[in-house]
Amino acid sequence: MPKENKIKKIIYKDISWYKLEKPTETQLLKLKEKFNFHPLDIEDCMEKIQRPKLDIYHDYIFMGLHLPYWSEKENRLKTTEINVFLGKTFLITVSDYKILLLDELFYKAKQDPKKRARFFGRSTSRLFHFIFNQLILNINPLMREVGKKIDTIDRKVLQGKYKDVFEKISEMRRSLIVFDTIIKPQIPIFRKLESGRAGNLDTKNAQYWGNLVDRLQFIQEQIEDYLQILEGLAITNESLLSYKTNEIIKILTIFSVILLPLTLISGIYGMNIETLPLASSPSSFIVVSGLMLSIAVIMLLFFKYKKWL
């Protein structure tokens, strides 16, 4: 039987931060009984929710939030979920897997009294703002990595690696669309909190909720910019590929046109008709070959003059 992760806890003045990682049903039910949480919120913690959500009650707020991370193993963007119970005297974070930055913040708050005082501030809202703000800032390296991958695609477009570019653009588009579906739905959640519609919780931290809105909007704008760049690269790559294909078809067509009269002449002289000009002449092969070569050269010069070559 797998070992059950303990519920970790930090207390600062009258504020408590509980941190659960891969919680069991028993642990969640204990929290439900202690804080009188709604059963549907506990159910959301047990099952992965498809979209971020916000439920406001008279004595606490429940938020189901998503964070992006890059899976090197699968080479694509994936989502992790963090559920938050926010009351006047408690903050409970429930994650479906180990979030290293969250562990680091919890450890610093537990070990260092000065950092604990700075993290917790004067309310649970300030504590949550500090934590989630750090988690959002942690997305910036991921955005820079996405930018580097797009720069690599740009270079490959110029190098003419069409097939590889097509696959990379498709993969990056898919990742950015997933990224957008993670970030975009969370903006209305914090905008609603910024407006002061947070039940009986303190409404003096509107600027902090607004700060989270600004950060999420900035990330969303970056995602939209990257999608536009990828769209442009896809169009450029398709145009270059079409141009290369047309060039190949043009060259093949020119060779076909040059060979057409030569094929006609060789076909006529291959019928073994004695009345054909030069049919019985010992120099017929040289003359006919010279004629065919002259026709080919004249046609090549004509195509060159017309700038078709």
Side-chain angles (χ1 to χ4, degrees):
M1 186 175 179
K3 186 178 179 181
E4 183 180 272
N5 293 323
K6 293 182 179 180
I7 300 177
K8 298 178 181 179
K9 179 181 178 181
I10 300 176
I11 299 176
Y12 176 74
K13 295 183 178 179
D14 59 342
I15 300 173
S16 300
W17 176 12
Y18 299 83
K19 189 174 83 69
L20 288 82
E21 181 185 302
K22 296 180 181 178
T24 62
E25 184 176 353
T26 303
Q27 289 175 324
L28 292 172
L29 290 175
K30 284 181 180 178
L31 289 176
K32 174 183 175 295
E33 292 174 4
K34 182 175 181 178
F35 295 99
N36 194 29
F37 291 146
H38 196 285
L40 291 178
D41 297 334
I42 300 300
E43 186 178 316
D44 285 335
C45 291
M46 294 179 185
E47 301 175 359
K48 190 174 181 66
I49 58 176
Q50 296 300 316
R51 288 177 62 84
K53 64 177 295 185
L54 169 67
D55 292 328
I56 298 176
Y57 302 93
H58 72 282
D59 55 350
Y60 77 94
I61 294 173
F62 173 76
M63 288 178 278
L65 305 172
H66 290 161
L67 294 169
Y69 71 96
W70 187 265
S71 173
E72 293 293 342
K73 184 178 180 180
E74 300 181 32
N75 194 33
R76 67 185 182 93
L77 199 71
K78 297 189 71 176
T79 309
T80 184
E81 183 178 318
I82 177 169
N83 296 302
V84 178
F85 295 89
L86 182 64
K88 284 187 176 181
T89 60
F90 63 85
L91 170 68
I92 302 173
T93 56
V94 183
S95 57
D96 58 357
Y97 96 117
K98 189 178 185 67
I99 301 176
L100 295 177
L101 180 58
L102 194 63
D103 285 350
E104 182 182 337
L105 293 174
F106 189 89
Y107 177 80
K108 288 179 178 179
K110 193 173 185 66
Q111 298 297 322
D112 191 332
K114 291 183 179 179
K115 289 183 178 179
R116 182 162 61 247
R118 182 165 63 90
F119 291 0
F120 277 66
R122 297 180 180 178
S123 67
T124 53
S125 298
R126 293 283 295 275
L127 172 60
F128 171 74
H129 168 266
F130 178 82
I131 294 170
F132 200 69
N133 185 56
Q134 294 300 310
L135 292 173
I136 293 175
L137 290 174
N138 197 46
I139 296 174
N140 290 335
L142 179 58
M143 294 300 296
R144 287 194 293 270
E145 189 63 29
V146 170
K148 289 179 182 178
K149 290 179 183 293
I150 292 176
D151 288 340
T152 301
I153 292 172
D154 188 16
R155 287 194 296 271
K156 287 186 176 182
V157 168
L158 298 177
Q159 292 169 2
K161 298 179 180 179
Y162 307 112
K163 184 179 179 181
D164 189 35
V165 165
F166 178 78
E167 293 174 355
K168 294 294 183 185
I169 288 177
S170 299
E171 291 173 1
M172 191 55 63
R173 266 180 175 169
R174 181 184 62 189
S175 294
L176 284 172
I177 289 170
V178 172
F179 209 152
D180 192 53
T181 58
I182 295 171
I183 299 299
K184 190 175 182 179
Q186 297 184 123
I187 295 175
I189 289 177
F190 293 107
R191 189 169 281 141
K192 187 174 182 179
L193 294 173
E194 182 187 14
S195 68
R197 290 176 287 173
N200 294 327
L201 296 180
D202 65 280
T203 57
K204 298 178 182 179
N205 293 304
Q207 68 272 26
Y208 292 98
W209 301 122
N211 175 255
L212 295 179
V213 171
D214 292 341
R215 292 197 185 282
L216 290 171
Q217 282 182 328
F218 178 73
I219 294 172
Q220 189 195 5
E221 288 169 2
Q222 281 186 296
I223 293 170
E224 290 175 352
D225 290 343
Y226 284 152
L227 283 171
Q228 288 180 1
I229 292 171
L230 282 175
E231 185 68 26
L233 289 174
I235 293 172
T236 302
N237 186 61
E238 188 176 341
S239 299
L240 290 173
L241 182 59
S242 298
Y243 176 78
K244 184 178 180 180
T245 303
N246 291 336
E247 284 294 304
I248 293 171
I249 292 173
K250 183 178 75 173
I251 291 171
L252 292 175
T253 303
I254 288 173
F255 275 108
S256 299
V257 171
I258 292 173
L259 289 173
L260 183 61
L262 307 184
T263 304
L264 177 63
I265 294 172
S266 63
I268 292 173
Y269 276 89
M271 292 189 294
N272 295 322
I273 300 175
E274 294 181 358
T275 57
L276 285 173
L278 303 173
S280 57
S281 173
S283 59
S284 59
F285 175 76
I286 296 173
V287 173
V288 172
S289 297
L291 176 64
M292 294 171 69
L293 180 61
S294 299
I295 292 172
V297 171
I298 290 170
M299 293 184 74
L300 282 171
L301 291 173
F302 177 75
F303 292 146
K304 191 74 174 176
Y305 172 74
K306 288 290 187 178
K307 296 183 179 179
W308 294 345
L309 280 175

